[in-house]
Amino acid sequence: MNVGYVIWGICSALAVNECSELSPWAARKIARWSAHLRYDDPERAETRGEELAALVDERPGQLFKLVTAACFA
């Protein structure tokens, strides 16, 4: 296996990730899930989950949204 093939594979996966809508959807789900892990009160967790999801939506780029949500979790 050549290092060039590995780099090409990673770059092409990142390019496909930037063109699809899977990352923002997953990021919003992860942000809401992390709020439910942190708060015992379901109403507070729902409110905080919406706030975190809105923050994720404001981030530029698909991959940056996913990284931000992963940091919340």
Side-chain angles (χ1 to χ4, degrees):
M1 181 182 292
N2 191 345
V3 175
Y5 290 132
V6 173
I7 292 172
W8 174 255
I10 292 172
C11 290
S12 63
L14 290 174
V16 167
N17 184 38
E18 282 296 320
C19 296
S20 70
E21 291 297 319
L22 181 63
S23 291
W25 174 81
R28 286 189 294 273
K29 292 287 186 182
I30 292 170
R32 288 185 182 110
W33 174 71
S34 69
H36 286 281
L37 287 178
R38 290 183 189 175
Y39 299 102
D40 292 330
D41 181 23
E43 184 177 322
R44 175 70 176 144
E46 186 67 31
T47 303
R48 188 65 178 147
E50 292 298 322
E51 292 171 357
L52 293 177
L55 181 65
V56 165
D57 285 337
E58 292 176 5
R59 299 289 187 207
Q62 310 284 352
L63 192 59
F64 193 51
K65 291 178 183 187
L66 194 57
V67 169
T68 301
C71 289
F72 290 149

